[in-house]
Amino acid sequence: MNILDLSHIKKSFGQNDVLKDISFKVDEGEVVSIIGPSGSGKSTLLRIATFLETMDDGSLSYLGHPYVTSQNGQAVYADKKALHQAMSNFGLVFQNFNLFPHFNVLENITDAPIRIQKRNKEEVYAQARELLSKMGLSDKEKAYPSQLSGGQQQRVSIARALALKPKILFFDEPTSALDPELTLEILKVIKELAAEKMTMVIVTHEMTFARDVSTRIVFMDQGVIVEETSPEKMFSSTNERTKAFLGKYH
Ligand code: ADP
Ligand code: MG
């Protein structure tokens, strides 16, 4: 089943053409890593997929439902109600955790499921505690983000994203604010989710991790997808740009 279908996406900031006709699809059960130099448009692509940024032209659908269509060379967005519905399909984990500082751990996780998804409180709390246990954070439910390490905060934000029961989870450089030890802790959590067949898109500079966890790797450079293929093929690519980029990590 197709989860996300982004087609012919164009995005400019002023004169800067950041995404140049990008098409990107994700099927159920895929783990797709997006790699590429800084400024190549990776975050913008994720932000467009999650409605944090608008595209200029292109189309977008989740689970076969169109939410953005291209009409006369322009992206036309569905109404607010439909976009709200679209947003229930995904979770998003950022580099800087983005937890609510004035909410404790449990409140951070349960707020959106209760307030936005309007789910039963008991059920949401039970699920939140289960997720915290899975993340090894059962003793932290009353803690505030400032009382947690970066790795713990990131595990809370993963739990928060999972609490929404998303069909797909997006990560934008989830470990780049963490030291190496805490990075491993987060990569392990993502690997466990992959083993459970969670559909994920991960922007990362962790190349060994990307090779291990991904079903497909997408290499972006200067607003285009240069190459997308299996980890094995990506790491033995003969494409000059790919080789030059990956060479920096050896
Ligand atoms: P990456 O995540 O691959 O590092 P980004 O998507 O963050 O790349 O950025 C791609 C390009 O778009 C960069 O040149 C960046 O400066 C520019 N850019 C991103 N967001 C904005 C914005 N809100 N306003 C203007 N330029 C932006
Ligand atoms: Mg980025």
Side-chain angles (χ1 to χ4, degrees), residues 42-43 172-173:
K42 306 180 299 295
S43 293
D172 193 354
E173 299 196 26

Side-chain angles (χ1 to χ4, degrees), residues 28-127:
E28 191 169 25
E30 281 196 294
V31 177
V32 184
S33 291
I34 304 180
I35 62 173
S38 178
S40 55
K42 306 180 299 295
S43 293
T44 303
L45 184 65
L46 283 204
R47 290 171 59 79
I48 283 174
T50 54
F51 304 104
L52 293 170
E53 189 65 76
T54 54
M55 63 180 97
D56 300 330
D57 188 16
S59 63
L60 177 161
S61 67
Y62 277 102
L63 302 166
H65 298 279
Y67 294 105
V68 186
T69 53
S70 172
Q71 294 174 27
N72 304 319
Q74 252 193 327
V76 177
Y77 279 74
D79 61 29
K80 265 193 186 155
K81 196 168 164 229
L83 295 186
H84 241 132
Q85 188 207 348
M87 290 168 87
S88 68
N89 289 304
F90 58 77
L92 183 54
V93 176
F94 300 92
Q95 175 180 343
N96 293 314
F97 328 132
N98 284 47
L99 295 170
F100 301 119
H102 55 292
F103 279 1
N104 70 29
V105 163
L106 202 56
E107 290 163 343
N108 261 285
I109 297 171
T110 54
D111 181 60
I114 292 170
R115 212 167 38 82
I116 298 168
Q117 293 185 324
K118 308 216 182 295
R119 279 160 46 199
N120 175 285
K121 273 192 186 177
E122 306 275 292
E123 181 251 327
V124 170
Y125 278 102
Q127 183 208 14

